[in-house]
Amino acid sequence: MNRLIGLGVAIAAGVAVAPQTARQDLALKDLMPKGMVIGVAINQRQSDGVDTAAVGIITKQFNQISPENLLKFQLVHPTADRYAFDAQDRYVQFGLDRQMQVVGHTLVWHQQTPGWVFQGADGTPAGRETLLARMRDHIHAVVGRYKGKIYGWDVVNEAIDEDGSLRQAPWRDGIGDDYVAKAFEFAREADPGAELYYNDYNLEKPAKRAGVIRLVNDLRARGLRVDGIGNQAHWRLETPAIDEIEAALIELHGTGLKVMYTELDINLLPAAARDADPALANPYATGLPDEKQQQLAKRYADIFDVIVKHRDSVSRVTFWGLSDADSWLNRGRMNYPLLWDRQRQPKPAFQAVVDVLSRAR
Ligand code: XIL
């Protein structure tokens, strides 16, 4: 239906524009409430400029980028004596060239961190002093290199468990419970001008959210700089419920910190075991039924309704990938979590977000 409207507009205007061009005439970044940026996590083919179709959309639509993988420990610091900065420099430059807010993700995490980091002498686990020195060196090298260029960093990612306690993680095993505070301390030293964030998922679950709020309050009680809470927002069609999303936003913002949706996507696939019947595990292998397409659009409209309603509480919204082809949620199946389809055409969900933002202006 949107295609026909787009075509109608093009014909009425008497110009030969493709319908999809007409539909993408509006840019999300121009429609966002004042002071709120909108971004996307980009992959290396995009920051290297190889995926030109994607680069065109990213440049037009967004004013913020996050690195999907490039600045994770494993990629930027693969071995003890080697940092890999080539592709990382191009990522940062990609954003600076386009006057975008460039985000760093992520310094301290229990995943995508190479094994050498946690190894001590003779195969024993590294102890507190060794791990603190490695953490400090890493943060100073990476944050220091992009000082004044990277606007804000996810300093620590996913440190809280579902019950609200500190998650068991190799950084914690070696350093102790103050490893989170140490990471924020080192990041502040390395670039006093950068915003510093704590980032996590499932923040609509009260116990986990309470743990995150305790953690950021503790960091601030120690006199550390913390600017914002990143809510990853890896959500589904039905869960979390929209009122849970709103309640979480209100409570997180009650800390006085900025709240950001840092990794937004909507997973349409069932959580299926690897050996599950393919028809059940991969139900949209040949395409997404229109009914689901409309449900996805409605879901995104509901989410952006909450965001514009609480425009003073949200400083940023970042999608975790540009098109469905780019999404980490495929993993061998066919998922449809984002605003652009595999042909890089805007989906009804894109139009739904445009409509909500336009109405709110
Ligand atoms: C994901 C990337 O999208 C994948 O390409 C990679 O294989 C694994 O990590 N939470 C995070 C992100 O903070 O860094 C993760 O990104 C998704 C979950």
Side-chain angles (χ1 to χ4, degrees), residues 68-69 72 105 109 112 157-158 232 234 263 320 328:
E68 185 177 6
N69 286 298
K72 292 172 182 173
H105 171 88
W109 189 23
Q112 291 183 272
N157 198 29
E158 304 179 351
Q232 291 185 5
H234 292 298
E263 307 185 13
W320 204 246
W328 72 303

Side-chain angles (χ1 to χ4, degrees), residues 47-120:
S47 47
D48 280 352
V50 175
D51 186 348
T52 52
V55 169
I57 300 172
I58 293 162
T59 304
K60 165 149 196 185
Q61 293 287 336
F62 298 100
N63 52 16
Q64 181 270 322
I65 50 170
S66 295
E68 185 177 6
N69 286 298
L70 279 174
L71 284 171
K72 292 172 182 173
F73 207 125
Q74 174 180 272
L75 281 102
V76 72
H77 194 178
T79 58
D81 52 3
R82 191 171 76 85
Y83 286 89
F85 283 129
D86 290 358
Q88 287 70 7
D89 288 354
R90 291 194 295 274
Y91 159 76
V92 172
Q93 199 55 46
F94 180 102
L96 295 178
D97 286 347
R98 293 166 175 78
Q99 285 87 45
M100 292 168 159
Q101 190 182 102
V102 181
V103 163
H105 171 88
T106 176
L107 298 168
V108 171
W109 189 23
H110 62 283
Q111 287 182 27
Q112 291 183 272
T113 306
W116 67 262
V117 175
F118 306 109
Q119 276 156 25

Side-chain angles (χ1 to χ4, degrees), residues 144-202:
R145 184 176 183 90
Y146 301 116
K147 186 176 176 192
K149 296 182 173 175
I150 285 194
Y151 180 89
W153 277 96
D154 290 341
V155 178
V156 177
N157 198 29
E158 304 179 351
I160 297 295
D161 230 325
E162 296 306 298
D163 68 358
S165 66
L166 212 48
R167 179 199 288 272
Q168 201 58 51
W171 285 113
R172 182 184 175 211
D173 290 342
I175 295 174
D177 289 358
D178 64 344
Y179 86 95
V180 177
K182 286 292 176 188
F184 277 84
E185 184 184 318
F186 298 148
R188 180 76 197 271
E189 287 169 7
D191 184 358
E195 291 200 339
L196 305 181
Y197 314 126
Y198 176 74
N199 195 53
D200 215 326
Y201 62 96
N202 276 352

Side-chain angles (χ1 to χ4, degrees), residues 34 46 62 69 84 91 97 141 150 158 164 179 181 188 195 201 203 217 224 241 244 272 280 312 334 341 349 351 360:
K34 242 194 199 56
Q46 295 164 346
F62 298 100
N69 286 298
Y91 159 76
D97 286 347
I150 285 194
E158 304 179 351
Y179 86 95
R188 180 76 197 271
E195 291 200 339
Y201 62 96
L203 301 190
N217 284 340
L224 294 164
E244 292 173 322
L280 297 175
D312 297 329
M334 289 281 273
D341 69 16
Q351 192 59 50

Side-chain angles (χ1 to χ4, degrees), residues 28-34 311 356-361:
L28 298 175
K29 66 180 179 188
D30 299 327
L31 297 172
M32 288 296 276
K34 242 194 199 56
R311 62 184 70 197
V356 169
L357 295 176
S358 303
R359 268 202 308 274
R361 284 176 75 77

Side-chain angles (χ1 to χ4, degrees), residues 83-336:
Y83 286 89
F85 283 129
D86 290 358
Q88 287 70 7
D89 288 354
R90 291 194 295 274
Y91 159 76
V92 172
Q93 199 55 46
F94 180 102
L96 295 178
D97 286 347
R98 293 166 175 78
Q99 285 87 45
M100 292 168 159
Q101 190 182 102
V102 181
V103 163
H105 171 88
T106 176
L107 298 168
V108 171
W109 189 23
H110 62 283
Q111 287 182 27
Q112 291 183 272
T113 306
W116 67 262
V117 175
F118 306 109
Q119 276 156 25
D122 313 321
T124 57
R128 177 173 167 93
E129 293 314 316
T130 302
L131 270 186
L132 280 175
R134 284 177 185 162
M135 180 192 274
R136 185 171 186 281
D137 288 349
H138 176 78
I139 290 177
H140 273 258
V142 180
V143 175
R145 184 176 183 90
Y146 301 116
K147 186 176 176 192
K149 296 182 173 175
I150 285 194
Y151 180 89
W153 277 96
D154 290 341
V155 178
V156 177
N157 198 29
E158 304 179 351
I160 297 295
D161 230 325
E162 296 306 298
D163 68 358
S165 66
L166 212 48
R167 179 199 288 272
Q168 201 58 51
W171 285 113
R172 182 184 175 211
D173 290 342
I175 295 174
D177 289 358
D178 64 344
Y179 86 95
V180 177
K182 286 292 176 188
F184 277 84
E185 184 184 318
F186 298 148
R188 180 76 197 271
E189 287 169 7
D191 184 358
E195 291 200 339
L196 305 181
Y197 314 126
Y198 176 74
N199 195 53
D200 215 326
Y201 62 96
N202 276 352
L203 301 190
E204 288 67 36
K205 305 217 167 138
K208 186 161 186 181
R209 179 167 68 246
V212 167
I213 291 172
R214 270 195 303 276
L215 178 69
V216 298
N217 284 340
D218 170 71
L219 294 171
R220 289 196 303 168
R222 294 170 187 255
L224 294 164
R225 175 173 185 163
V226 187
D227 296 278
I229 301 173
N231 180 341
Q232 291 185 5
H234 292 298
W235 293 330
R236 295 178 163 275
L237 263 189
E238 315 282 350
T239 56
I242 203 72
D243 54 326
E244 292 173 322
I245 291 175
E246 184 171 22
L249 171 55
I250 291 168
E251 229 185 82
L252 291 170
H253 187 248
T255 59
L257 294 173
K258 297 181 182 182
V259 179
M260 302 159 297
Y261 294 108
T262 54
E263 307 185 13
L264 177 58
D265 52 22
I266 302 296
N267 190 349
L268 298 186
L269 295 181
R274 291 223 170 271
D275 55 359
D277 173 357
L280 297 175
N282 194 15
Y284 313 126
T286 58
L288 191 65
D290 191 56
E291 186 201 353
K292 286 284 158 197
Q293 190 76 263
Q294 298 308 328
Q295 286 173 16
L296 180 71
K298 167 82 164 52
R299 177 67 161 157
Y300 269 112
D302 291 346
I303 291 167
F304 275 80
D305 273 333
V306 170
I307 291 170
V308 299
K309 179 174 171 194
H310 297 279
R311 62 184 70 197
D312 297 329
S313 309
V314 181
S315 58
R316 153 156 80 93
V317 180
T318 307
F319 292 91
W320 204 246
L322 178 70
S323 79
D324 291 341
D326 306 312
S327 174
W328 72 303
L329 294 174
N330 289 305
R331 283 177 285 199
R333 296 187 285 173
M334 289 281 273
N335 216 330
Y336 303 81

